[in-house]
């Protein structure tokens, strides 16, 4: 695991229950690269800040004093109840009484907009798993498997799911309207933006404990991104975020597919038994050998998945996946994995 010292994310609210509940929520978000500290008054906060540098301070407008305003923190953000002292308008603010996920997105978005670039080479850490899910065969429940795998892994690890299909259907299925999505992350990667991880934290959503980036809204963004952009994006996530696993749900619209598969530490390939499916897999494997990607072949684990059906849609569909026969299959697979 990483030995880097973690920056401090401090939360200060005179409402004791809120401060500690929010701290507990932040600590459950394993992907956040911060040590979380909660304070219920400005005095103890200032005492702590005198000995420990604070990178992000999220503080209730009621707890802001002149001493707090003099603190040298990386970013001070007001936790507002809707109306606050105009003197605090110089600081960015987030609304207190909204979903915790929304608060975190707004805070990280604000922090990421000004955070200095992170230095370091694009090299994957051995501890992080990059799990590919791909099949040259259609209608194999590939995405259902990938999301189920992610939700189950996320019960014990910090996991990020990236849908790299031309048409994901997420907005329609979940009834969501995403302001930013994977297309934006690819743009940042294309610009070699080393502040990418903080921007990522400002847009991630969650399904159960599984974090995901809203997928691209159109196929062109997926088709035009090459291995260079994906490598930069993945290396930043693996090096500089708290994620322990990244799941890539790959479609045939991905450019440089073989190079991206080569980045994976393991690959699950859902298959079917009919003659056309068998022929497609054989063609795919032949191309890997011809183009000298035999290392990819060694990472592939072929799986046959049970059919899954549910009457629910939206988030309920994803919840049902975990407890379906498909979920049982995933748990059996994971029990057989080494380590």
């Amino acid at each position: 695991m990483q030995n880097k010292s973690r920056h401090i994310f401090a939360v200060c609210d005179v409402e004791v229950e809120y401060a500690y509940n929010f701290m507990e929520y932040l600590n459950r978000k394993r992907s956040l690269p911060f040590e979380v500290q909660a304070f219920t008054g400005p005095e103890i906060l200032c005492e702590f800040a005198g000995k420990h540098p604070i990178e992000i301070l999220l503080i209730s407008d009621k707890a802001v004093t002149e001493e707090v305003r003099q603190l040298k923190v990386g970013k001070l953000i007001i936790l507002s109840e809707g109306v606050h002292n105009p003197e605090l308008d110089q600081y960015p603010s987030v609304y207190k009484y909204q979903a915790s996920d929304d608060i975190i997105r707004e805070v990280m978005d604000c922090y990421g907009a000004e955070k200095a670039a992170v230095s370091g080479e694009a090299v994957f850490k051995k501890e992080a798993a990059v799990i590919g899910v791909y099949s040259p065969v259609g209608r194999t429940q590939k995405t259902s498997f990938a999301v189920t795998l992610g939700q189950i892994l996320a019960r014990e690890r910090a996991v990020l799911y990236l849908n790299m299909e031309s048409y994901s259907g997420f907005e329609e299925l979940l009834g969501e309207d995403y302001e930013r999505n994977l297309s934006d992350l690819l743009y940042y990667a294309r610009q070699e933006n080393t502040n990418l991880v903080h921007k990522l934290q400002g847009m991630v959503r969650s399904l159960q404990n599984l974090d995901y980036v809203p997928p691209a809204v159109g196929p062109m963004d997926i088709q035009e991104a090459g291995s260079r952009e994906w490598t930069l994006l993945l290396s930043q996530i693996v090096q500089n975020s708290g994620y322990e696993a990244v799941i890539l749900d790959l479609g045939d619209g991905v450019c440089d597919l073989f190079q991206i598969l080569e980045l994976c530490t393991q690959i699950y390939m859902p298959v079917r038994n009919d003659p056309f499916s068998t022929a497609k897999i054989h063609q795919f494997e032949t191309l890997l050998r011809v183009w000298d990607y035999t290392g990819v072949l060694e990472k592939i684990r072929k799986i046959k998945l049970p059919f899954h059906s549910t009457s629910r849609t939206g988030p309920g569909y994803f919840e049902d996946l975990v407890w379906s026969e498909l979920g049982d299959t995933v748990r059996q697979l994971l029990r057989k994995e080494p380590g």
Side-chain angles (χ1 to χ4, degrees):
M1 298 301 291
Q2 304 178 63
N3 293 320
K4 294 180 181 179
S5 59
R6 303 178 77 190
H7 291 308
I8 293 173
F9 186 145
V11 180
C12 182
D13 194 325
V14 294
E15 188 179 332
V16 176
E17 186 175 359
Y18 183 96
Y20 284 106
N21 285 342
F22 193 69
M23 182 184 73
E24 288 182 8
Y25 169 80
L26 288 173
N27 282 325
R28 289 197 298 271
K29 296 286 289 184
R30 302 186 187 96
S31 61
L32 287 175
F34 295 96
E35 174 187 335
V36 182
Q37 297 286 343
F39 304 91
T40 57
E43 295 83 5
I44 191 169
L45 166 67
C46 291
E47 181 181 346
F48 177 88
K51 302 175 183 177
H52 309 278
I54 294 175
E55 186 66 16
I56 298 178
L57 173 57
L58 180 62
I59 182 167
S60 166
D61 52 354
K62 296 177 180 177
V64 179
T65 63
E66 185 58 34
E67 289 74 17
V68 169
R69 296 172 68 173
Q70 296 302 317
L71 293 177
K72 296 185 182 302
V73 299
K75 191 69 177 176
L76 190 153
I77 301 172
I78 302 298
L79 189 59
S80 173
E81 297 185 14
V83 178
H84 55 253
N85 189 328
E87 292 183 1
L88 300 180
D89 287 345
Q90 63 180 294
Y91 305 107
S93 66
V94 299
Y95 182 57
K96 177 177 179 177
Y97 299 113
Q98 61 177 320
S100 297
D101 272 343
D102 294 333
I103 293 176
I104 292 302
R105 271 197 299 275
E106 290 186 29
V107 168
M108 295 309 301
D109 186 37
C110 176
Y111 175 70
E114 300 179 10
K115 173 66 179 175
V118 178
S119 62
E121 298 179 1
V123 180
F124 291 119
K125 297 196 302 293
K126 293 182 179 180
E127 298 92 330
V130 180
I131 303 171
V133 182
Y134 171 76
S135 179
V137 180
R139 305 300 298 169
T140 59
Q141 301 191 97
K142 174 179 68 68
T143 294
S144 293
F145 168 80
V147 175
T148 305
L149 173 67
Q151 289 182 98
I152 291 173
L153 284 176
R155 293 185 168 191
E156 297 181 355
R157 304 162 67 183
V159 183
L160 179 68
Y161 167 82
L162 297 179
N163 185 291
M164 297 163 63
E165 296 182 304
S166 296
Y167 298 94
S168 71
F170 265 56
E171 281 189 298
E172 180 71 22
L173 182 58
L174 289 170
E176 295 278 3
D177 184 16
Y178 303 115
E179 290 184 11
R180 287 168 301 162
N181 54 52
L182 184 58
S183 301
D184 297 289
L185 275 186
L186 288 171
Y187 171 78
Y188 299 139
R190 198 170 291 118
Q191 302 301 313
E192 299 189 29
N193 189 313
T194 52
N195 188 22
L196 189 147
V197 167
H198 300 299
K199 292 181 179 294
L200 164 70
Q201 291 294 343
M203 66 176 71
V204 291
R205 305 293 182 103
S206 295
L207 289 168
Q208 311 302 322
N209 291 323
L210 173 65
D211 282 0
Y212 73 96
V213 175
V217 294
M220 294 302 293
D221 291 328
I222 296 296
Q223 294 165 1
E224 292 178 356
S227 60
R228 177 176 171 274
E229 288 96 326
W230 290 114
T231 300
L232 286 168
L233 173 60
L234 290 171
S235 63
Q236 283 289 317
I237 293 171
V238 171
Q239 282 186 58
N240 299 320
S241 78
Y243 290 111
E244 300 167 81
V246 182
I247 295 177
L248 308 181
D249 187 353
L250 294 149
D252 284 320
V254 174
C255 182
D256 298 335
L257 175 64
F258 287 5
Q259 290 96 317
I260 294 167
L261 287 171
E262 200 169 37
L263 296 175
C264 298
T265 51
Q266 61 184 129
I267 302 163
Y268 289 105
M269 179 184 288
V271 299
R272 296 170 63 180
N273 288 329
D274 62 280
F276 262 122
S277 297
T278 302
K280 289 179 180 181
I281 292 168
H282 182 267
Q283 181 182 357
F284 171 75
E285 293 175 336
T286 298
L287 284 175
L288 284 173
R289 294 187 182 95
V290 169
W291 292 343
D292 198 24
Y293 284 97
T294 53
V296 172
L297 284 169
E298 297 170 0
K299 300 176 186 179
I300 292 174
R301 180 170 182 177
K302 296 176 184 175
I303 52 176
K304 295 177 182 177
L305 301 175
F307 178 75
H308 166 71
S309 177
T310 177
S311 59
R312 295 210 290 172
T313 58
Y317 172 78
F318 293 95
E319 293 174 16
D320 287 352
L321 285 173
V322 175
W323 303 111
S324 68
E325 190 176 349
L326 179 58
D328 292 338
T329 299
V330 170
R331 281 184 282 272
Q332 291 173 9
L333 281 171
L334 292 176
R335 280 196 290 269
K336 295 177 183 178
E337 293 290 350

